[in-house]
Amino acid sequence: MIYRQNYATPDGFDDMVMISDGEKLTGLLFTDSEDMRKFSLPENETSLPVFDKTKEWLDEYFGGEIPSFTPDFCVSALSPFQKRVSEIMREIPYGKTMTYGEIAAEIAEERGIKKVSAQAVGGAVGANPICIIIPCHRVLGANGAITGYGGGIKNKANLLNLEKNSLQKLNLAPI
């Protein structure tokens, strides 16, 4: 069974919807995003412990803190390539970014091949159903261009600014 609950974000961001299988978080999306088309969601909201933990995480994140924990989540139906891209995204530190090309080069090196397509990486990043927690917003186009975000370019830019400003307030340099 699929469950959902809405999350009201601060000004500057679209609100979000949390999705669960009843045990773990299986989706976290901006409500007005093109990613919402990927899900068939129930109309009624449900209260679940995983939603409470996810709200706590989101409150810390949007409050300008580096979250101290990660809610239980499950990402299924990804290819091995998509899983590897997801793992690399989870390794990108708060306030730091990578380009699609850098991820492609890392995977090519791991596989001992000459090249992996940055566009293929873009497709794998776009398959991420749990935004922010799996920080696909930290993946940029060539030369640091803010592009390709299913949650909306405005949200991506605002997430990056939030992290940058939070690090400045905490007197921390990007890790």
Side-chain angles (χ1 to χ4, degrees), residues 89-112:
M89 287 190 294
R90 289 194 307 265
E91 294 168 3
I92 303 171
Y94 185 98
K96 191 165 169 43
T97 60
M98 286 183 81
T99 66
Y100 297 98
E102 288 170 331
I103 293 173
E106 183 174 327
I107 293 172
E109 184 176 331
E110 289 173 0
R111 293 181 174 185

Side-chain angles (χ1 to χ4, degrees), residues 25-92:
L25 188 71
T26 57
L28 180 62
L29 309 162
F30 286 101
T31 55
D32 293 332
S33 71
E34 59 188 61
D35 287 342
M36 286 294 293
R37 292 190 306 245
K38 297 176 186 176
F39 290 88
S40 176
L41 301 176
E43 287 192 33
N44 294 330
E45 291 188 57
T46 304
S47 181
L48 294 170
V50 71
F51 291 153
D52 294 339
K53 291 304 275 183
T54 302
K55 284 181 187 178
E56 184 180 337
W57 190 96
L58 289 167
D59 288 345
E60 286 184 19
Y61 180 86
F62 284 115
E65 300 174 37
I66 299 171
S68 58
F69 68 96
T70 303
D72 287 335
F73 67 86
C74 176
V75 179
S76 58
L78 295 182
S79 71
F81 180 76
Q82 291 169 328
K83 285 180 187 173
R84 182 62 189 127
V85 170
S86 180
E87 291 166 358
I88 292 170
M89 287 190 294
R90 289 194 307 265
E91 294 168 3
I92 303 171

Side-chain angles (χ1 to χ4, degrees), residues 136-167:
C136 50
H137 64 282
R138 297 182 189 149
V139 182
L140 303 176
N143 301 316
I146 297 177
T147 96
Y149 190 59
I153 296 298
K154 173 194 81 157
N155 288 317
K156 182 173 187 167
N158 288 343
L159 291 169
L160 294 170
N161 283 331
L162 172 80
E163 291 182 12
K164 178 183 170 188
N165 293 336
S166 295
L167 289 176

